[in-house]
């Protein structure tokens, strides 16, 4: 197994690159898919990522989706559906659910200036 997979900075870089690819393709980032790309069992990749970074890989991937969505909500006039897909959410419903859970408000409330946190 590559020593890069034990380095938190290298793992984050690989995960960031993968997430950007998902955003371009408008597909949800998934631990299983990244593990296949790296030829590592998903449970092993999750364990390595958590040990190296202090954050579960699935949490990191979801956080990156929310960060992307918040940026698009602030800087663009894209519809909420467009933002959902551009942020790698498979459906509008999954976007709204994840956004509310992470931020404490809906995407529309956030866009209108509600003070929600991440």
């Amino acid at each position: 197994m590559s020593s890069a997979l034990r380095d938190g900075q290298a793992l984050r870089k690989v995960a960031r690159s993968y997430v950007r690819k998902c955003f371009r393709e408008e597909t949800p980032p998934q631990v299983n898919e990244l593990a296949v790309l790296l030829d590592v069992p998903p449970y092993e990749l999750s364990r390595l990522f958590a040990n190296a970074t202090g954050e579960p890989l699935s949490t990191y991937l979801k956080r990156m989706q929310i960060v992307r969505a918040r940026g698009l909500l602030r800087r663009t006039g894209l519809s909420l559906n467009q933002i959902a897909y551009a942020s790698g959410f498979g459906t509008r419903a999954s976007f709204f659910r994840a956004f509310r859970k992470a931020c404490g408000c809906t995407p529309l409330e956030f866009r209108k200036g509600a003070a929600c946190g991440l």
Side-chain angles (χ1 to χ4, degrees):
M1 180 170 308
S2 167
S3 63
L5 290 178
R6 299 191 192 285
D7 174 34
Q9 204 169 24
L11 275 170
R12 272 201 171 94
K13 184 176 180 181
V14 167
R16 260 194 315 273
S17 176
Y18 167 68
V19 169
R20 283 193 299 271
K21 176 186 104 41
C22 291
F23 292 159
R24 281 191 307 276
E25 296 173 0
E26 296 187 350
T27 60
Q30 299 174 353
V31 172
N32 288 344
E33 183 178 42
L34 180 56
V36 167
L37 294 172
L38 296 174
D39 195 29
V40 178
Y43 65 88
E44 182 70 8
L45 179 60
S46 295
R47 185 185 64 74
L48 290 168
F49 191 90
N51 287 344
T53 68
E55 178 178 33
L57 179 54
S58 58
T59 301
Y60 175 82
L61 296 175
K62 188 63 66 187
R63 185 167 55 81
M64 292 298 95
Q65 288 179 270
I66 297 297
V67 166
R68 165 87 167 177
R70 286 171 58 112
L72 292 172
L73 286 165
R74 280 191 189 116
R75 295 186 315 272
T76 73
L78 294 173
S79 73
L80 296 180
N81 280 342
Q82 290 171 311
I83 290 172
Y85 295 125
S87 301
F89 289 95
T91 66
R92 179 182 163 117
S94 65
F95 169 50
F96 273 62
R97 205 171 24 257
F99 195 93
R100 181 183 286 274
K101 182 178 179 181
C103 300
C105 66
T106 68
L108 187 56
E109 290 168 338
F110 180 81
R111 178 174 263 173
K112 290 182 177 180
C116 334
L118 178 60

